[in-house]
Amino acid sequence: MKRFSCGDVVPNCKARFDAATEADLLAQVANHARNDHGMTSLPDSLVQEVKRHIIDYDGSNG
Ligand SMILES: [Zn+2]
């Protein structure tokens, strides 16, 4: 599993995402960015920032 916490990139955002793959995770983040942050697309620099904060998550805790 992959996990990303939006608050690592966007201060004060509490959204957190889990997905089986990085691609699925990025799709969820793109949706969230559009719906909750008003971003129609993710700039490449932001995608790189998101990728830097993706962690491996084994599903056993938190
Ligand atoms: Zn967010």
Side-chain angles (χ1 to χ4, degrees):
M1 297 285 288
K2 304 290 185 183
R3 167 167 284 185
F4 170 70
S5 297
C6 191
D8 287 346
V9 174
V10 181
N12 302 318
C13 184
K14 299 286 192 286
R16 192 168 68 182
F17 307 95
D18 296 323
T21 67
E22 184 175 280
D24 282 352
L25 193 59
L26 288 172
Q28 290 185 45
V29 173
N31 267 333
H32 166 70
R34 182 170 58 240
N35 294 333
D36 294 325
H37 296 300
M39 302 177 69
T40 53
S41 67
L42 292 185
D44 194 54
S45 59
L46 185 56
V47 173
Q48 297 306 319
E49 189 72 15
V50 168
K51 286 182 175 179
R52 267 205 296 278
H53 288 91
I54 292 174
I55 61 171
D56 286 311
Y57 163 59
D58 66 7
S60 65
N61 57 33

